[in-house]
Amino acid sequence: MLETGSIKLPCGYEEDFTSPVDDDLLCLICQLPLREPVLTRCGHRFCRQCLEKHMASQKSQWQECSCPVDREELDRQKDIFPDNATGRKILSFTIKCSSEGCEWTGELREKEDHLASCSFKIVSCTNENCQVTIQRKELEEHVTNSCQWRIVVCDHCNKSHPKCVIQDHVEKCEKKPVECPNNCGEIIVQEEIASHTNDHCPLSMVSCPYAQMGCNAKIQRKEVEAHLQSTMQLHLDLACTTFKETTGKLEEKVNALQLKQEELDQERRVLRGQVKELTAANVALDAKVAAQEKEVSVLRSESSTFVWKINGFSEILQRAINGTEDEIYSKPFFTGKTGYKLSVGIEPDGNQSKRNRYLSVYLRFMKGDHDNILAWPFHYKATFTLIDQQNDTIKRQNVAQSVIVHESKPTSDVSSYIYIIDRFVSHRILKTRRYIVNNTLFLQVEIGPLS
């Protein structure tokens, strides 16, 4: 059996048992009285925490969980049971309080209730930053009267500070009353010293009010009136001298300003002449630019929109799929009265790399009657739009794509084909909504300037 005496249990408390503890009430791992005892299927008792630690160690080493006494394999869920009867027996043991000077004895289960009020228990000071530990019965006196970290209030500013720093605060407290540093006899708070000495103290040294006139006297504030009375003639002479000097400087400034004004007037006259010349030149230039723009407007094509109505589209698509008709194109159209000659083409079944998936669109450039006066190369934005034929225009979801077209002037009567968009619209999307109505499809092409 374990003899009586001081025992440190795994859960962190220390007790003095007044009676011996039987061997069967000791944990077979830590050899101390059982704490939260558990019983294994093979009949061995352990502290719950000791057995859990043992089994966790086995698991970390990839070992099967087993009893540390007879190595019997254990199932955590089925083979380990709380031993409440043993736990109640241990909690009924009589112990003595471990606090020095305390004579209390009682059952182990009463320990926590006792320690919560034990006047001999060592506790920490409740004042912030204080590291002192003391018996509970002396805590109130320490916290209230002797702790260096207890909070006290400054007599001057009523702000709270720890006792150990209050003296340093008082020395620097802005509300602390002090005597005027000039020894004028007035008591003021520290934060108002500068204001007092600069604006009110009768013993502060100040400059004569006529300092800007040339009086360099430094006198105490209380003697200013006497100084002004005794030096009245001197101040008058200084004022007259300053007035004459200022008047002379003012006349010099006025003369300089008059000269500058004359120079500015001369420059203004020169600028007016230059403005007239520039105005005449701008009028002539504007006329020339207007003539050039008028000439260029003849050469430049206007923006235009062409709508191509494609009837019998389902048959056209089927022929393309069958390989009997790869492409179709619209009749020619012009981008203006004297514009570029173009035609729109489609490949209903896509080009060779996109067969059976997409409808491709392109422009066809044709030799026109006005090509010699148009601007080349052709450099415009082409916007292709598949029109959704919903009756409600607000609900329409047109399919549109834009590209930049850059093409040289046609050199022969043979049309040049420029593939623009290989994947304009997929066959799957083409068959949704109302893109094809009464076997008719509308494709709009807008040719416009770059923007």
Side-chain angles (χ1 to χ4, degrees), residues 287-312:
K288 184 176 180 180
V289 170
Q292 291 177 344
E293 289 179 347
K294 184 176 181 180
E295 180 181 355
V296 170
S297 66
V298 176
L299 302 178
R300 280 289 178 185
S301 170
E302 300 175 355
S303 298
S304 64
T305 299
F306 173 71
V307 179
W308 183 15
K309 180 180 180 182
I310 306 174
N311 296 316

Side-chain angles (χ1 to χ4, degrees), residues 29 38-41 46-68 71-81:
I29 294 178
V38 294
L39 180 66
T40 64
R41 177 172 55 81
F46 305 94
C47 297
R48 179 181 60 80
Q49 291 185 3
C50 290
L51 185 58
E52 287 181 352
K53 185 176 179 181
H54 167 75
M55 298 179 77
S57 176
Q58 289 182 320
K59 184 177 181 181
S60 68
Q61 299 176 21
W62 303 94
Q63 298 176 357
E64 294 291 337
C65 294
S66 62
C67 175
R71 303 304 179 187
E72 181 76 21
E73 184 176 341
L74 298 176
D75 185 315
R76 285 173 177 257
Q77 306 299 324
K78 299 179 180 179
D79 299 336
I80 302 173
F81 315 96

Side-chain angles (χ1 to χ4, degrees), residues 102-171:
C102 183
E103 300 297 329
W104 178 87
T105 60
E107 292 185 351
L108 178 60
R109 61 169 51 88
E110 299 171 351
K111 170 206 165 186
E112 296 300 332
D113 291 339
H114 166 70
L115 291 180
S117 59
C118 178
S119 59
F120 292 90
K121 180 176 174 58
I122 301 299
V123 294
S124 298
C125 175
T126 56
N127 288 328
E128 186 177 359
N129 296 323
C130 182
Q131 305 298 321
V132 171
T133 56
I134 195 170
Q135 287 186 330
R136 181 179 278 119
K137 65 181 180 178
E138 300 174 355
L139 179 63
E140 183 176 358
E141 170 64 21
H142 170 78
V143 169
T144 305
N145 299 318
S146 60
C147 179
Q148 291 300 305
W149 288 97
R150 69 185 186 276
I151 300 300
V152 295
V153 178
C154 174
D155 295 333
H156 307 306
C157 66
N158 292 324
K159 293 183 179 179
S160 299
H161 298 276
K163 174 66 176 177
C164 57
V165 300
I166 190 66
Q167 190 58 39
D168 290 339
H169 164 75
V170 169
E171 293 298 325

